[in-house]
Amino acid sequence: MKKMYVLLSVIFLLSPIWGQKKNLLTDEKIEKRISALMQTMTLEEKIGQLNQIPADNGATGPTGPKILSGGNKKMLSSGLCGSMLNLFGAQPTREAQEIAVNGSRLHIPLLFGYDVIHGYKTIFPIPLAEAASWDVDLIEKNARIAAKEASSAGIHWTFAPMVDVARDARWGRVMEGAGEDPYLGSLIAQARVKGFQENLSNASDILACAKHYVAYGAAIGGRDYNGVDISERTLYEVYLPPFKAAADAGVATFMSAFNELNGIPASANAFTIRQILKKNWKFQGFVVSDWNSIGDLIPHGIAENRAAAANAGITAGVDMDMCSFIYIEELAKQVRSGIVKEYLIDDACRRILRMKFKLGLFEDPYKYCSMQRENADIFTPENRAAALDAAHKSIVLLKNEKQTLPITNDKKTIAVIGPLADDKEDMIGNWSAIGEPQSAVSLLEGLRNKISDKSTLIYAKGCNINDQDSSLFKNAVQVASRADFVILALGESKGMTGENCSRADIGLPGMQLELAKVIVKTGKPVIVVFMNGRPLAIPWFASNVPAIVEGWLLGTEAGNALADVLFGSVNPSGKLPVSFPYAIGQVPIYYNFKSTGRPFSPNQAWTTSYLDVPNEALYPFGFGLSYTKFCYGDIQLSSKTLGMHGEIKASIEVKNEGNFDGDEVVQLYIRDVVARISRPVKELKHFKKYILKKENQRLWTLQLLLKI
Ligand code: NOJ
């Protein structure tokens, strides 16, 4: 039996994270109906199912006008299209569906896909922010709300959850995922899948898509679309687990990524798609390529032309081609000449039809196209209340010296300064579907809603988010000088994270640091609220301001949520799902690193370190403060060793010694100190969020089972 020491001061119950969702995909009747249908389909019609086309031919992007061009209409009525993306709204989807169902020979319904990433119209915090809640029930519930809104506008399928582990803050797509940890990421992946598709026969559920398969987050240099070169061990231990969790939760689809992985592009990778996903994991859904990622096989340098790209994609197991039109143009010829085996086409077609049957589209192709539902279910007060709750729980308190926060609400003049203080546009973050910036609450508005008549708010923009103009500094300093204290809202615009939004410098953009310096110089207490989609390198703030709130991009209710936290009506409970470095040179940085043969020791030369910054993160994974004070007792273990399939019961006393009720995320980490393969210095194995009342500094004894 191997020794496994439980390291950290924490506890809780271990529920199996790989809980299998009932597999509806093997339904015999569905398979029989698919077989019967496929016997009547021509080769072109089968390949048509593998073809996904954009509503607008890509010309105007996902938020542009949705038009059904003549070319699109022809494709639908000739049965040469299985799915459309970026078409939404009950009426437009009904119109397209009618053309496909009434106009085509076999009346096969279309699937409508859209990026519903953190809400459809009610916009929740960006996924990275929501991950900071460490509240999987909340995350599942919000995915359900997003599904309900989207499904009422004709959408059958979201390209979410994005489950890429991200260890490099330069990569702009860190905002779309759950951060750096495979365990937390797996639970969140599972929660989002369950939320989107609890029961696919309901018209309020939509197909989910685990993306971007796989290792997309490990792009070299943090530059989007760049190559990935990682060991198979890292692939299995770090990047695959959230995908496995999604598959086990019954996710309907996967998306193959843009990147290459150790020399083989993900969209031509038979090892990851056919071997791991379809064979080992027995995945019964279908794989869609990313946008033109089959076309991209040519510039990747593994296909000499479109015919070779089509061949590589279908051979690797990519079932549906998103927007490169390569399958529809190339595959039939290759099947006829024997280059591509027809059973590959049949398998892909069957997988796609299976999902259409599971959604009940053959029974009622218009079940998602109800104007009545569209008017009733979207952007309701209940949905906004859920967005507010999520935003509250996503906020992370990074620093709070001398109890600067919460603000006491009496007779104060409060200066609100910064380029994001009066900002609505950026609050909803990137990938915000049909979310309307004008309906979002800015910080300034939230504070106005919150303060009493006795307090006064004064505002100055100070500078723009990302240019070199300092002409507004003077006014900002004057405003700060008139106030009792300053709330400084700094960060990134929504366009600075998301697809192809990598940054080589992850400090504050533009003149914002300089603005902060002149404001701090006034001598007024400064509370900084960061709004950003990635971890920022903010060491100056850590040493020079008394209070820092990580406010991410919190969605529709951003300003109200921040005001509630700043004024203490909500006690912050978020914990970072990703490490915040001191300096860009530390990335990739993550808490579950390896010890090295020369672990750092301050008194010993030749141990691993930088000359100029610490090894650790400035604010590490799992970190987040509260207005109350939690004290941990000693951990009690039922045994000191843990066998391969054994379990240990661990318990600990956690005391709320402060003056506020609060939620605490109790986290359990392990370290396998001696193993044949070196293990990380810390690995999260379990966590649980507890509500701990202040009542008489009550002690709470918490228990959990650690199983390996
Ligand atoms: C490209 C992005 O990489 C992917 O995440 C998205 O789902 C598709 N485009 C469709 O919009």
Side-chain angles (χ1 to χ4, degrees):
M1 182 179 292
K2 244 167 11 106
K3 269 192 183 169
M4 180 82 74
Y5 296 89
V6 176
L7 264 197
L8 230 105
S9 52
V10 225
I11 317 291
F12 53 132
L13 54 82
L14 241 209
S15 54
I17 68 161
W18 308 115
Q20 288 276 342
K21 185 167 170 153
K22 196 175 150 211
N23 189 356
L24 302 165
L25 302 175
T26 55
D27 186 290
E28 225 178 285
K29 266 194 194 152
I30 288 181
E31 299 308 315
K32 274 190 185 154
R33 285 188 64 186
I34 296 172
S35 302
L37 176 60
M38 283 180 60
Q39 272 169 14
T40 66
M41 291 172 83
T42 63
L43 177 61
E44 277 73 14
E45 282 165 339
K46 286 190 258 182
I47 295 170
Q49 289 303 305
L50 281 49
N51 182 30
Q52 184 185 55
I53 66 169
D56 45 19
N57 286 331
T60 50
T63 51
K66 305 302 153 211
I67 39 147
L68 274 178
S69 64
N72 279 351
K73 284 184 183 165
K74 198 156 171 251
M75 221 168 220
L76 303 191
S77 61
S78 27
L80 295 182
C81 169
S83 170
M84 291 185 79
L85 82 166
N86 295 343
L87 189 74
F88 47 80
Q91 191 49 40
T93 52
R94 176 177 287 271
E95 197 190 318
Q97 194 69 297
E98 272 169 2
I99 300 172
V101 172
N102 299 337
S104 69
R105 193 177 74 89
L106 293 171
H107 318 293
I108 300 177
L110 293 167
L111 263 187
F112 298 110
Y114 191 44
D115 288 289
V116 181
I117 307 298
H118 52 115
Y120 178 64
K121 187 162 181 182
T122 306
I123 302 301
F124 294 93
I126 57 167
L128 183 67
E130 215 181 41
S133 71
W134 293 49
D135 187 335
V136 287
D137 294 338
L138 171 123
I139 289 170
E140 180 178 335
K141 198 182 84 196
N142 293 343
R144 283 209 67 63
I145 293 172
K148 196 170 173 204
E149 288 199 358
S151 62
S152 71
I155 294 160
H156 304 132
W157 177 23
T158 176
F159 305 119
M162 188 277 219
V163 304
D164 296 309
V165 168
R167 294 171 148 189
D168 189 330
R170 291 171 294 187
W171 192 53
R173 304 201 79 167
V174 65
M175 59 92 34
E176 295 173 54
E180 72 189 35
D181 183 56
Y183 176 79
L184 178 63
S186 295
L187 291 179
I188 291 178
Q190 190 179 47
R192 291 200 165 118
V193 170
K194 276 162 58 186
F196 287 129
Q197 50 169 71
E198 188 183 48
N199 176 357
L200 287 181
S201 57
N202 288 338
S204 57
D205 280 31
I206 56 179
L207 305 177
C209 181
K211 71 184 189 185
H212 307 81
Y213 192 66
V214 56
Y216 184 38
I220 294 168
R223 179 160 48 79
D224 206 8
Y225 314 131
N226 206 3
V228 170
D229 204 322
I230 56 172
S231 70
E232 216 170 287
R233 177 171 306 285
T234 302
L235 177 67
Y236 275 102
E237 292 188 0
V238 178
Y239 292 96
L240 281 173
F243 286 99
K244 175 72 164 67
D248 287 346
V251 72
T253 69
F254 266 57
M255 183 184 290
S256 65
F258 288 128
N259 57 286
E260 65 149 86
L261 170 62
N262 304 336
I264 313 286
S267 293
N269 202 316
F271 169 60
T272 54
I273 301 175
R274 286 222 182 268
Q275 178 67 37
I276 297 178
L277 176 63
K278 292 184 174 174
K279 187 154 182 271
N280 300 357
W281 297 353
K282 303 187 176 27
F283 175 66
Q284 299 294 300
F286 70 86
V287 177
V288 63
S289 75
D290 203 339
W291 188 295
N292 196 50
S293 66
I294 298 179
D296 292 348
L297 298 177
I298 301 168
H300 264 302
I302 68 119
E304 58 184 354
N305 52 30
R306 286 169 70 81
N311 190 334
I314 195 75
T315 304
V318 180
D319 303 303
M320 184 180 277
D321 167 25
M322 182 189 282
C323 301
S324 78
F325 298 90
I326 280 184
Y327 280 3
I328 199 73
E329 286 167 21
E330 300 292 339
L331 282 179
K333 291 179 267 190
Q334 296 192 46
V335 171
R336 292 212 165 89
S337 61
I339 298 170
V340 167
K341 297 280 173 252
E342 190 161 357
Y343 70 80
L344 296 180
I345 311 290
D346 286 350
D347 178 56
C349 179
R350 173 174 288 276
R351 287 169 179 272
I352 293 161
L353 292 175
R354 185 179 286 147
M355 288 306 156
K356 295 185 177 184
F357 273 107
K358 281 176 68 66
L359 286 174
L361 295 180
F362 282 92
E363 275 61 47
D364 179 3
Y366 309 107
K367 68 188 269 202
Y368 287 73
C369 309
S370 147
M371 302 275 278
Q372 210 184 347
R373 263 192 71 202
E374 188 174 29
N375 292 330
D377 283 355
I378 295 181
F379 210 58
T380 60
E382 298 76 43
N383 294 357
R384 290 195 70 152
L388 177 63
D389 184 40
H392 284 148
K393 291 175 175 156
S394 303
I395 294 169
V396 186
L397 181 63
L398 295 179
K399 184 175 180 191
N400 194 19
E401 230 170 50
K402 298 190 194 130
Q403 293 177 318
T404 305
L405 288 171
I407 299 164
T408 48
N409 196 3
D410 57 348
K411 285 193 195 154
K412 294 274 161 68
T413 299
I414 306 168
V416 188
I417 296 176
L420 284 140
D422 193 21
D423 178 298
K424 286 166 171 287
E425 183 72 31
D426 296 300
M427 294 303 99
I428 59 173
N430 212 331
W431 292 113
S432 42
I434 68 156
E436 290 166 346
Q438 67 273 21
S439 320
V441 181
S442 71
L443 173 62
L444 199 58
E445 272 175 347
L447 291 167
R448 276 197 199 110
N449 296 340
K450 190 79 196 167
I451 60 164
S452 76
D453 298 344
K454 298 178 198 157
S455 299
T456 311
L457 284 181
I458 49 178
Y459 161 74
K461 186 172 181 190
C463 65
N464 294 319
I465 294 174
N466 193 16
D467 65 22
Q468 297 305 309
D469 183 3
S470 57
S471 60
L472 299 176
F473 280 20
K474 198 167 157 210
N475 173 251
V477 168
Q478 280 166 1
V479 168
S481 312
R482 283 164 40 213
D484 293 301
F485 61 88
V486 179
I487 299 173
L488 199 49
L490 307 173
E492 298 179 304
S493 67
K494 70 175 184 189
M496 297 184 91
T497 47
E499 185 178 347
N500 205 15
C501 297
S502 297
R503 290 178 63 208
D505 177 353
I506 56 165
L508 278 177
M511 297 299 282
Q512 297 184 78
L513 177 57
E514 287 72 12
L515 172 68
K517 288 182 178 169
V518 297
I519 298 297
V520 166
K521 232 176 168 181
T522 63
K524 302 290 176 173
V526 175
I527 296 157
V528 176
V529 176
F530 285 117
M531 300 172 179
N532 44 288
R534 59 159 56 76
L536 295 171
I538 43 168
W540 184 87
F541 291 89
S543 331
N544 290 286
V545 299
I548 305 177
V549 171
E550 176 49 65
W552 313 105
L553 299 171
L554 290 173
T556 303
E557 292 291 332
N560 287 333
L562 285 164
D564 287 340
V565 163
L566 292 169
F567 280 88
S569 41
V570 169
N571 187 355
S573 60
K575 304 280 181 190
L576 293 178
V578 71
S579 301
F580 277 45
Y582 282 88
I584 181 70
Q586 290 178 294
V587 303
I589 184 168
Y590 39 92
Y591 81 95
N592 43 356
F593 56 87
K594 299 286 187 76
S595 136
T596 81
R598 290 161 175 241
F600 177 64
S601 164
N603 305 320
Q604 255 179 293
W606 319 120
T607 60
T608 186
S609 62
Y610 293 104
L611 292 175
D612 47 358
V613 287
N615 289 353
E616 300 77 40
L618 172 62
Y619 296 112
F621 174 85
F623 177 78
L625 303 171
S626 167
Y627 293 152
T628 196
K629 191 176 166 208
F630 296 112
C631 294
Y632 284 75
D634 289 334
I635 192 163
Q636 310 287 328
L637 301 176
S638 58
S639 160
K640 282 200 170 147
T641 56
L642 181 61
M644 266 312 266
H645 302 291
E647 49 182 61
I648 290 182
K649 195 180 283 176
S651 49
I652 194 165
E653 285 180 348
V654 181
K655 199 168 168 183
N656 181 349
E657 288 198 333
N659 296 322
F660 296 81
D661 295 346
D663 294 358
E664 175 68 333
V665 181
V666 179
Q667 304 164 38
L668 177 71
Y669 295 86
I670 63 162
R671 177 173 183 180
D672 192 354
V673 180
V674 181
R676 274 187 302 134
I677 309 290
S678 67
R679 302 301 307 159
V681 295
K682 257 170 95 172
E683 289 179 79
L684 181 70
K685 285 292 167 188
H686 205 4
F687 64 88
K688 188 161 168 142
K689 198 165 184 172
Y690 290 96
I691 301 169
L692 300 176
K693 299 264 180 207
K694 65 176 175 191
E695 295 158 21
N696 308 324
Q697 302 189 346
R698 189 163 165 187
L699 280 179
W700 300 78
T701 302
L702 315 173
Q703 289 217 349
L704 105 124
L705 279 183
L706 169 65
K707 290 187 198 164
I708 295 289

